[in-house]
């Protein structure tokens, strides 16, 4: 990398001195690494803050998560059937932890994954009829995981495939709203204001 500089006489506008400071490639690379580290640390801090804020809000309204339950199954079941109060908390926290990306999918790139854009498009097509939770739970049941390289050993002619677990934040928000709207008929604590506050936390970009 390099930085140019010039010293100018403010009265005569004459250039007194100029030059270029050249930084070794290793220094430039370290600057990139430090910037990426700071960004990663910032994202982790924001996620922790989101989850803590949501836990406080849910607990205040009597929704406290319990361990050892499948959040994917709960998210799918909660779209149409009554959940226990702890399951509602599990579903909302699970969605908030993942929450998707808030910028355009067209801006997402990963040179390490073959046909990245095609895999993004496949997820977008699936979202026309399903929530992220339904897509993820279906993959979990069929392949044992929601992302990465999978092989369908039942259909022997099927080639190994790589699934991306990348969905827009708006899809997660819509799923959370559907779950909460369904649960609202069973729990008077779930008011429109509570739904709005939960959605704000899930879709929040800043800490």
């Amino acid at each position: 990398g390099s930085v140019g500089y010039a010293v100018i006489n403010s009265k005569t506008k004459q250039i007194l001195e100029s030059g270029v400071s050249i930084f070794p490639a290793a220094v430039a690379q370290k600057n990139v690494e430090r910037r990426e580290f700071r960004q990663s640390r910032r994202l982790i801090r924001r996620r922790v803050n989101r989850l803590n804020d949501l836990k406080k809000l849910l607990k205040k309204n009597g929704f406290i998560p319990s361990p050892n339950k499948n959040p994917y199954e709960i998210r799918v079941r909660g779209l149409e059937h009554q959940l226990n109060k702890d399951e509602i908390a599990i579903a909302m926290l699970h969605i908030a932890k993942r929450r998707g990306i808030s910028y355009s999918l067209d801006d997402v790139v990963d040179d390490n994954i073959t046909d990245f854009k095609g895999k993004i498009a496949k997820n977008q097509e699936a979202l026309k009829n399903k929530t992220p939770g339904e897509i993820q739970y279906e993959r979990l049941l069929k392949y044992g995981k929601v992302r990465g390289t999978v092989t369908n050993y039942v259909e022997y002619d099927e080639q190994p495939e790589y699934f991306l677990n990348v969905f827009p934040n708006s899809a997660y928000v819509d799923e959370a709203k559907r779950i909460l709207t369904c649960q609202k008929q069973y729990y008077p604590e779930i008011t429109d204001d509570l739904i709005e506050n939960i959605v704000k936390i899930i879709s929040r970009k800043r800490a």
Side-chain angles (χ1 to χ4, degrees):
S2 62
V3 175
Y5 68 91
V7 179
I8 302 174
N9 187 309
S10 61
K11 294 182 179 179
T12 64
K13 306 301 181 183
Q14 180 184 1
I15 297 176
L16 303 178
E17 184 181 352
S18 65
V20 177
S21 296
I22 300 176
F23 301 96
V27 175
Q29 179 59 33
K30 284 208 173 287
N31 288 337
V32 171
E33 291 174 358
R34 281 196 291 267
R35 187 164 60 248
E36 290 177 346
F37 175 76
R38 286 196 300 270
Q39 183 180 22
S40 175
R41 190 170 55 185
R42 205 160 41 234
L43 291 174
I44 292 172
R45 185 182 68 246
R46 289 173 182 172
R47 182 173 66 179
V48 170
N49 288 341
R50 272 198 313 272
L51 290 175
N52 286 339
D53 289 347
L54 184 54
K55 284 178 183 176
K56 291 176 184 176
L57 177 62
L58 291 168
K59 183 178 181 180
K60 180 180 177 182
N61 288 275
F63 299 94
I64 302 172
S66 59
N68 304 321
K69 290 191 176 184
N70 186 332
Y72 296 105
E73 184 274 332
I74 291 171
R75 284 165 57 189
V76 173
R77 179 158 47 87
L79 294 169
E80 297 182 353
H81 303 284
Q82 181 178 4
L83 297 176
N84 296 329
K85 297 185 78 170
D86 66 318
E87 292 175 329
I88 294 173
I90 289 170
M92 293 302 106
L93 289 168
H94 195 247
I95 290 174
K97 187 175 182 180
R98 279 131 189 90
R99 77 181 288 276
I101 56 176
S102 55
Y103 45 88
S104 172
L105 289 176
D106 293 334
D107 297 331
V108 183
V109 293
D110 191 330
D111 296 332
N112 297 317
I113 299 177
T114 304
D115 190 25
F116 186 86
K117 292 293 185 182
K119 292 175 174 58
I120 288 286
K122 188 170 185 177
N123 281 355
Q124 288 294 88
E125 183 65 26
L127 282 174
K128 291 180 179 179
N129 303 306
K130 299 174 183 177
T131 65
E134 288 175 309
I135 296 169
Q136 292 159 344
Y137 188 46
E138 184 178 276
R139 291 175 180 175
L140 186 65
L141 291 177
K142 190 173 183 180
Y143 303 109
K145 53 185 176 180
V146 299
R147 65 170 66 83
T149 303
V150 299
T151 302
N152 186 345
Y153 294 103
V154 177
E155 301 171 17
Y156 295 100
D157 60 339
E158 185 171 325
Q159 296 297 313
E161 185 174 1
Y162 189 95
F163 283 129
L164 286 176
N165 194 37
V166 178
F167 301 96
N169 176 256
S170 58
Y172 282 99
V173 167
D174 288 344
E175 179 183 340
K177 286 180 178 178
R178 281 187 58 187
I179 293 172
L180 292 170
T181 299
C182 176
Q183 302 310 310
K184 183 180 178 182
Q185 62 184 311
Y186 305 110
Y187 301 100
E189 304 96 315
I190 302 180
T191 62
D192 290 340
D193 283 344
L194 179 59
I195 293 176
E196 182 180 350
N197 289 330
I198 290 174
V199 166
K200 281 182 180 178
I201 293 175
I202 292 173
S203 58
R204 192 174 71 194
K205 295 180 183 180
R206 300 293 180 182

